[in-house]
Amino acid sequence: MVFPTYLKRCVLSNIQRSPEIILANVCQQSRATTKNSNLLHSKYLDQDSDFDPITRPPKAAYIHIPFCRQRCHYCSFAIIPLSTTRKIATEVINERLERLQHRYANVITDEMEATADAMEYHMESQYVRKEPLETVYFGGGTPSLMEPEVLDQILDTLRRRFGLASDAEVTIEMDPGTFNAAKLNAYVALGITRVSVGVQSFDDAMLTICNRSHSRTDVLAALESVTRCAGLASWSLDLICGLPTQCLEHWKETLAEALTYSPPHLAVYNLGIEPNTRFSRKYEAGISPLPSEDDVVDMYTHTRATLVAAGYEHYEIMNYARSNHDRSRHNQVYWDNRAYHGFGLGATSYLFGKRFSRPRSGGGYAKWVGDVAQAVRATPPHSFALDVLGAAEAPWKGGELPADLLQDTIILGLRRKEGLDLHKIARIFGKEPAESIETACSPFRNAGLVRFVYASGNQAHDTARVVARTEWPWVQLIDPEGFLRENLVLAAILADVDRFC
């Protein structure tokens, strides 16, 4: 497919964000959105109890493991590098990790215990039913650096204090060169059901440019271990395109090699130049040696065409799955704007309509956990602890909804293949915001970037039911043209619904 020049401009930012970066940005926006916090009202919360940010405790947990052998040159995450260069001996790195991982596990499990205490207090006072976790995600950092017994300590605390559903998806990010078949099998024995392998590239030169700690040889060994592991329910192969000096032909070779392993899931991110990273001091997006914006769009469209032809479903802007079973259930919690726990250094949680980010330094995080644990265990629990853990009196009590809830639902939901459910938005936020979204999207529908899909599954509709507002469409970005222009569509929607926020 050949795209006109205007479709190739200004598309980078929406195809280069990992879930963690997107959610961090949403968290910052949420804290800034306070001016009209009482303008949104809903009479339908009791009828829509599946709207998790408001009505239920989370059934998902993100656990941040901050340790890395070294910081990648594109990384802006809250991490604790164990070295600054590949030249430091593995023995020295392992010695540092041994000292730190047990200490960190004690702090993060203290946070879990305090959160569980606060949640129990909240649920008793609000008559909220406790439900077990359905997804757990160990992200980082490099979680696969952790020894199995340390991971077991964390998982055991989750099971004991929050419960874990029998069919829960438990994912861990694993970097090549940090595990072998024996370690992977030990993780699976503890309850890991899915792994996300951070390959990023098969090319040693590209890996060196990015300051990745692994090599091509490590990648091949890691993928052999994963493909031979019988205990995994699914796994993902993660890649980055748009790396310095990379061209379309090189990317085609990378994607073709990835497909030889038949991964059930692929996550393909375009390189993002994040502030305060090594790359941000060396490169500017779209300017050599980074690929041009035209080249990045060509990589994106080639990826989509190749993976769809190979039988993958393009279910989110950057994610592809062999089947519905192979979708990341945990990441879908984010895109659906449902509630989730966040534990660990720099982690963000989303509890009862509130987003909260933990301190990003090791010392700051440990002190914060100590303060929160002490406040929670006071009699009665101190309001400071209940507030930061999301267990204070619900901000929506009395029918009021947080103003940023509508914005977050739009920003996150538009990234999905299914798009935005205007029927649900009308039911929760009122018909005026739903009509506003529909109106804002109409020009893009005419331009072939957006489609309206009705309950029947067709793009046609029953005019009488639509006029009477008993039928609402799903608003979906057309793949790939609409996904590439998501920022343009999103800006128009948010400008139109701003009066409701």
Side-chain angles (χ1 to χ4, degrees):
M1 180 179 294
V2 178
F3 286 90
T5 301
Y6 81 91
L7 271 182
K8 288 189 172 183
R9 296 198 183 109
C10 303
V11 300
L12 294 182
S13 62
N14 64 302
I15 60 173
Q16 66 190 19
R17 305 295 191 189
S18 69
E20 293 80 9
I21 291 175
I22 293 167
L23 291 166
N25 290 340
V26 167
C27 185
Q28 291 174 356
Q29 292 167 0
S30 295
R31 286 203 293 260
T33 307
T34 58
K35 58 177 181 178
N36 295 323
S37 61
N38 294 330
L39 291 184
L40 284 178
H41 297 267
S42 175
K43 296 179 290 185
Y44 306 105
L45 285 174
D46 291 339
Q47 301 174 28
D48 197 41
S49 60
D50 63 327
F51 202 64
D52 290 9
I54 299 302
T55 59
R56 289 183 180 175
K59 292 187 284 186
Y62 172 79
I63 300 162
H64 190 69
I65 306 298
F67 306 111
C68 283
R69 285 180 169 174
Q70 61 206 41
R71 184 180 286 277
C72 299
H73 287 168
Y74 52 77
C75 175
S76 62
F77 294 155
I79 68 166
I80 299 175
L82 300 170
S83 68
T84 56
T85 173
R86 290 185 177 192
K87 296 179 181 179
I88 294 180
T90 300
E91 292 78 9
V92 175
I93 293 175
N94 291 341
E95 181 183 340
R96 291 175 180 173
L97 179 64
E98 181 65 24
R99 290 200 313 268
L100 293 172
Q101 63 178 329
H102 293 282
R103 190 185 312 165
Y104 184 76
N106 290 337
V107 175
I108 200 172
T109 52
D110 281 349
E111 184 192 354
M112 292 174 181
E113 297 276 5
T115 301
D117 289 342
M119 293 290 290
E120 288 174 2
Y121 176 86
H122 168 80
M123 287 186 288
E124 288 176 5
S125 63
Q126 300 290 326
Y127 304 102
V128 178
R129 186 180 66 192
K130 181 178 180 180
E131 297 180 81
L133 297 174
E134 295 179 353
T135 71
V136 175
Y137 193 100
F138 287 89
T142 310
S144 51
L145 284 171
M146 303 289 271
E147 291 302 321
E149 63 266 23
V150 178
L151 198 71
D152 188 33
Q153 177 185 348
I154 298 172
L155 275 172
D156 180 67
T157 303
L158 281 177
R159 288 192 183 96
R160 180 169 46 82
R161 296 308 311 269
F162 298 92
L164 196 59
S166 59
D167 62 344
E169 175 193 86
V170 184
T171 303
I172 187 168
E173 293 178 350
M174 305 187 77
D175 277 6
T178 64
F179 70 97
N180 54 24
K183 191 173 190 179
L184 175 58
N185 288 331
Y187 282 172
V188 171
L190 295 176
I192 296 296
T193 65
R194 182 178 182 274
V195 301
S196 180
V197 188
V199 171
Q200 318 311 0
S201 177
F202 291 90
D203 187 317
D204 278 326
M206 293 288 177
L207 294 170
T208 299
I209 288 173
C210 294
N211 203 39
R212 295 290 292 176
S213 63
H214 66 263
S215 65
R216 174 181 172 82
T217 300
D218 294 327
V219 168
L220 302 184
L223 292 177
E224 181 178 4
S225 294
V226 171
T227 55
R228 290 174 177 268
C229 182
L232 290 173
S234 189
W235 63 279
S236 177
L237 194 157
D238 298 353
L239 296 171
I240 299 177
C241 69
L243 294 170
T245 74
Q246 191 172 51
C247 63
L248 178 60
E249 289 306 312
H250 181 278
W251 174 245
K252 288 180 178 179
E253 293 171 2
T254 298
L255 197 60
E257 184 164 8
L259 285 175
T260 64
Y261 292 93
S262 299
H265 184 281
L266 284 107
V268 181
Y269 305 109
N270 177 257
L271 176 68
I273 304 300
E274 299 299 327
N276 303 315
T277 62
R278 182 73 173 269
F279 274 2
S280 72
R281 295 187 288 272
K282 293 181 65 177
Y283 305 127
E284 186 175 344
I287 298 178
S288 183
L290 293 182
S292 68
E293 196 163 280
D294 283 2
D295 288 340
V296 171
V297 171
D298 289 341
M299 291 179 194
Y300 184 84
T301 55
H302 172 77
T303 300
R304 185 263 178 191
T306 300
L307 295 184
V308 169
Y312 289 86
E313 175 193 27
H314 191 190
Y315 74 95
E316 192 272 336
I317 285 181
M318 299 171 294
N319 288 278
Y320 300 81
R322 283 274 190 199
S323 67
N324 191 61
H325 164 79
D326 295 311
R327 287 186 177 196
S328 169
R329 286 167 54 192
H330 183 83
N331 282 348
Q332 287 184 105
V333 169
Y334 301 149
W335 310 137
D336 292 343
N337 199 26
R338 287 182 272 146
Y340 56 90
H341 289 289
F343 298 114
L345 182 77
T348 297
S349 58
Y350 187 28
L351 308 177
F352 301 105
K354 292 185 178 182
R355 299 189 190 273
F356 182 80
S357 294
R358 284 130 188 84
R360 291 173 59 92
S361 70
Y365 170 63
K367 182 181 184 304
W368 176 83
V369 170
D371 291 344
V372 168
Q374 182 178 2
V376 165
R377 287 155 192 162
T379 306
H382 195 280
S383 60
F384 153 73
L386 297 179
D387 185 62
V388 298
L389 295 176
E393 182 172 298
W396 48 270
K397 193 171 183 179
E400 295 175 359
L401 291 174
D404 50 19
L405 185 62
L406 174 59
Q407 292 178 339
D408 294 354
T409 300
I410 295 168
I411 291 169
L412 297 168
L414 199 61
R415 301 179 62 86
R416 305 175 305 166
K417 172 186 176 182
E418 290 79 8
L420 295 173
D421 181 358
L422 292 193
H423 177 72
K424 186 171 184 177
I425 287 176
R427 193 168 72 246
I428 295 169
F429 301 100
K431 73 174 185 178
E432 291 84 2
E435 288 175 341
S436 178
I437 294 170
E438 192 174 30
T439 300
C441 287
S442 293
F444 301 107
R445 186 187 189 191
N446 297 334
L449 301 179
V450 167
R451 61 172 162 253
F452 294 170
V453 177
Y454 292 83
S456 62
N458 299 322
Q459 294 186 50
H461 59 269
D462 184 326
T463 303
R465 293 183 65 192
V466 170
V467 170
R469 283 310 181 201
T470 58
E471 182 173 15
W472 294 86
W474 287 78
V475 175
Q476 299 176 349
L477 295 174
I478 293 175
D479 186 11
E481 299 94 330
F483 276 164
L484 282 166
R485 300 296 289 172
E486 183 239 11
N487 284 347
L488 181 64
V489 178
L490 184 60
I493 294 174
L494 294 179
D496 213 40
V497 302
D498 184 62
R499 64 184 184 276
F500 303 107
C501 301

